Amino acid sequence: MQVDPSDAVAALVLAAEARHLDYPRGADGDGRVARHLGFLLNVVSSRAEAAFARALRHPELYSVLDPGAHATLAELKERGVCLAAVANADGRLEQELGAFDLARYFDVLVDSQMLGVEKPDARIFDCAAERLGVPLQHSWYVGDGLVNDVLGA
């Protein structure tokens, strides 16, 4: 079965939100994402799970940086905006940002593995604001996921 790349990307974005659902029961986060991806693309669940597992093993999966990232972050810093990176990560957030020379823009890094709390739990956002010394009502959060980022924050 041939899947249009733009459909695959859209389906993956939607399926990524499934990580935070309780369905299907007994599946871990990656399993829930893979099963929802298969459903959205009308692909048998076992094939979707195998394809998703292969994709996660690619070392270049997160190796492309948005071309405007440095300019955007530099402009925010120039304007005096305090920046925190809040991520559900595995303890290597600083290393991952450093690989793209991005860590230098952030005043605070909040790695869920290090904190023991992950998005969408509001405590991770509270922690970032507290470490920045900025009241929550005076802060903005920019993210790419409905459950983790929009609802969590």
Side-chain angles (χ1 to χ4, degrees):
M1 173 183 168
Q2 188 68 20
V3 175
D4 182 273
S6 61
D7 289 342
V9 170
L12 181 58
V13 169
L14 287 172
E17 296 300 322
R19 177 175 304 285
H20 309 289
L21 302 175
D22 290 331
Y23 176 80
R25 301 233 184 267
D28 66 3
D30 287 345
R32 288 191 294 272
V33 171
R35 289 178 191 179
H36 282 81
L37 181 62
F39 171 77
L40 291 167
L41 294 174
N42 197 27
V43 174
V44 176
S45 185
S46 60
R47 289 186 64 204
E49 289 178 43
F52 189 67
R54 281 193 310 274
L56 289 177
R57 287 194 300 268
H58 282 271
E60 72 277 1
L61 183 61
Y62 296 107
S63 65
V64 178
L65 182 64
D66 185 290
H70 281 280
T72 300
L73 293 169
E75 177 69 21
L76 289 168
K77 291 307 293 178
E78 266 183 44
R79 292 180 182 217
V81 176
C82 298
L83 299 175
V86 178
N88 285 349
D90 60 2
R92 297 180 299 140
L93 176 60
E94 185 171 7
Q95 176 186 343
E96 290 173 0
L97 290 172
F100 293 105
D101 195 28
L102 293 176
R104 63 189 167 112
Y105 298 110
F106 295 94
D107 302 292
V108 169
L109 302 178
V110 182
D111 184 314
S112 63
Q113 179 71 32
M114 307 299 278
L115 185 63
V117 175
E118 68 177 29
K119 301 182 291 180
D121 189 314
R123 292 177 293 173
I124 197 167
F125 303 103
D126 293 341
C127 176
E130 183 180 313
R131 288 182 185 177
L132 284 173
V134 177
L136 278 174
Q137 65 269 26
H138 293 206
S139 58
W140 297 347
Y141 183 79
V142 178
D144 61 358
L146 175 65
V147 174
N148 264 2
D149 302 315
V150 176
L151 299 178

